[in-house]
């Protein structure tokens, strides 16, 4: 069974998130999504609208997603890959190069982002104030 892993905040779920989750799942048989806790988001300078628990519940309802784990820090990726026997790591190309250190442990693939949508854009368009989110 080919296992794929990806990371993110996945706040205010939108089609850009769905596109990368679908494409990540297409690369294997089992997709693990490691979603940022509220505490880790604070480290990322982000404040998600939905709590970690709600973002986890929403992700678990997506047919492409097989398992959701918490992302607590920047340092856990190697352990996550090893402990879950992951074959492929996937992120949007805004992260290109940033996780190449994982190439010693698994395949690393950066996929094009979906243009024209982001959590920040949603907040700004709604006049909620975007700012820190991509
Ligand atoms: N994404 C995308 N297209 C968009 C918006 C987001 O493909 N229009 C992708 C991002 O590239 C990322 C994933 O969706 O791979 C989740 O995006 P975010 O929730 O913004 O996650 P991020 O803040 O990039 O956190 O350790 C890694 C971090 O947790 C990644």
């Amino acid at each position: 069974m080919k296992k794929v892993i990806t990371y993110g905040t996945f706040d205010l779920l939108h089609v850009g998130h769905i596109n990368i989750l679908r494409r990540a799942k297409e690369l294997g048989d089992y997709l693990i999504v490691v979603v940022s806790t509220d505490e880790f988001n604070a480290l990322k300078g982000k404040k998600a609208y939905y709590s970690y628990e709600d973002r986890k519940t929403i992700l678990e309802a997506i047919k492409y997603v097989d398992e959701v784990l918490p992302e607590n820090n920047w340092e856990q990726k190697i352990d996550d890959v090893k402990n879950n026997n992951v074959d492929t790591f996937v992120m949007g190309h805004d992260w290109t190069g940033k996780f190449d250190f994982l190439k010693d442990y698994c395949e690393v693939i950066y996929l094009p982002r979906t243009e024209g949508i982001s959590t920040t854009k949603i907040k700004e368009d709604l006049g909620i104030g975007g700012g820190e989110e991509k």
Side-chain angles (χ1 to χ4, degrees), residues 8-10 44 46 71 77 92 94-95 113-114 117 134:
T9 300
F10 294 98
K44 287 199 284 187
K46 285 183 147 186
E71 181 182 31
K77 292 185 176 67
D94 47 313
W95 291 96
R113 282 172 66 94
T114 302
I117 182 77
K134 278 197 287 295

Side-chain angles (χ1 to χ4, degrees), residues 99-122:
F99 302 115
D100 287 358
F101 62 86
L102 289 170
K103 286 181 177 175
D104 296 336
Y105 305 94
C106 64
E107 185 185 16
V108 174
I109 295 178
Y110 301 104
L111 295 173
R113 282 172 66 94
T114 302
E115 296 305 319
I117 182 77
S118 69
T119 306
T120 300
K121 181 171 175 14
I122 295 170

Side-chain angles (χ1 to χ4, degrees), residues 6-11 14-21 23 34-36 40-41 44 46 71 73-74 77 89-95 99 111-119 133-134:
T6 191
Y7 292 72
T9 300
F10 294 98
D11 192 28
H14 54 67
V15 71
H17 295 137
I18 297 301
N19 286 339
I20 196 153
L21 293 173
R23 296 174 68 203
V34 189
V35 62
S36 311
F40 181 53
N41 265 331
K44 287 199 284 187
K46 285 183 147 186
E71 181 182 31
N73 57 63
W74 290 110
K77 292 185 176 67
F89 168 91
V90 173
M91 288 300 288
H93 68 20
D94 47 313
W95 291 96
F99 302 115
L111 295 173
R113 282 172 66 94
T114 302
E115 296 305 319
I117 182 77
S118 69
T119 306
E133 297 248 348
K134 278 197 287 295

Side-chain angles (χ1 to χ4, degrees), residues 45-58:
K46 285 183 147 186
K47 177 155 179 23
Y49 178 76
Y50 291 134
S51 68
Y52 165 76
E53 282 306 322
D54 286 354
R55 288 181 284 114
K56 180 174 187 289
T57 301
I58 291 166

